[in-house]
Amino acid sequence: MMQGLLHLDTALFHWINSGWSNPVFDVLLTAARNKYIWLPLYVLCISWILFNHTVRQSTYIILLLVAGIFVSDTISSKVIKYQVQRPRPCHELFMEPPVIQRVPCGGGFSFTSSHAANHFCLAAFLVMVFGKYMRKWKYLWWGWAAIISLSQVYVGLHYPLDILGGAMLGTLIGWSFGKIGHRLLVEISTP
């Protein structure tokens, strides 16, 4: 069963990495994984929190958000990756067809994707804490995390299961920290 799952994972990897190849995705999906591209969104998000909440509320929310992402990143990159030790697809020398490597491969292991874990953690946290304010906009956070995660497959750094594992981990952690943040906001706001 595990071999079948890994075979499907590799087939999906090739479909995204090779099958989706085109000049537009080469630019967009390579850029999507760059943290500096998203910096204005991060600044806007923090600014929104600061301008719409008291200093005390903003401090708690931002500290919980940073703590959640730290926990997500640590569990993904320092615990799970070293327990599973799955090589990145770009390290697989005999893969057929060969991996289209659009960015430097780097070191480390593949499962789970820390990019996916951290961005799904952020999305889950924000939706949990501010979902009632976001309405339909909350789906943009999920879409944003999904695009960043899929770009990791497209550039040749991760398999789809790495992304799925990271997304599940990040969502669980973000939701947990978001639940605490939501409860704190309600308690602090209540006179």
Side-chain angles (χ1 to χ4, degrees):
M1 177 158 158
M2 183 58 95
Q3 282 302 104
L5 184 61
L6 293 176
H7 180 72
L8 176 62
D9 193 31
T10 302
L12 284 172
F13 169 80
H14 287 302
W15 179 59
I16 295 167
N17 180 254
S18 301
W20 291 11
S21 287
N22 68 71
V24 175
F25 281 2
D26 285 353
V27 172
L28 293 179
L29 292 181
T30 301
R33 59 175 305 282
N34 185 328
K35 62 186 170 195
Y36 298 111
I37 295 292
W38 296 103
L39 191 59
L41 182 61
Y42 302 146
V43 170
L44 181 65
C45 179
I46 290 173
S47 298
W48 185 87
I49 292 169
L50 292 170
F51 288 122
N52 289 289
H53 297 85
T54 66
V55 172
R56 184 174 174 208
Q57 291 172 328
S58 298
T59 302
Y60 282 129
I61 292 167
I62 292 169
L63 285 175
L64 276 170
L65 176 58
V66 169
I69 292 172
F70 175 79
V71 168
S72 173
D73 189 66
T74 301
I75 291 173
S76 175
S77 62
K78 305 275 190 270
V79 178
I80 297 175
K81 282 185 181 183
Y82 287 97
Q83 292 299 313
V84 176
Q85 296 188 1
R86 184 181 195 188
R88 292 181 181 273
C90 49
H91 287 164
E92 297 287 349
L93 300 176
F94 303 108
M95 187 178 285
E96 285 297 327
V99 174
I100 299 173
Q101 193 173 328
R102 294 177 172 92
V103 297
C105 189
F109 297 110
S110 189
F111 186 86
T112 58
S113 166
S114 296
H115 268 80
N118 297 340
H119 290 94
F120 273 93
C121 178
L122 176 61
F125 180 89
L126 293 174
V127 168
M128 184 66 205
V129 175
F130 303 116
K132 70 178 184 177
Y133 302 112
M134 292 182 185
R135 293 192 179 99
K136 292 179 182 178
W137 290 94
K138 64 185 167 189
Y139 300 110
L140 289 177
W141 285 107
W142 295 116
W144 164 79
I147 288 168
I148 291 172
S149 299
L150 277 172
S151 71
Q152 295 294 94
V153 178
Y154 186 78
V155 300
L157 296 180
H158 285 285
Y159 293 97
L161 280 178
D162 303 340
I163 301 307
L164 182 61
M168 290 169 56
L169 173 69
T171 299
L172 178 64
I173 293 169
W175 182 85
S176 300
F177 276 80
K179 190 92 168 150
I180 295 167
H182 181 71
R183 192 174 313 132
L184 275 174
L185 266 184
V186 171
E187 289 175 10
I188 292 171
S189 299
T190 307

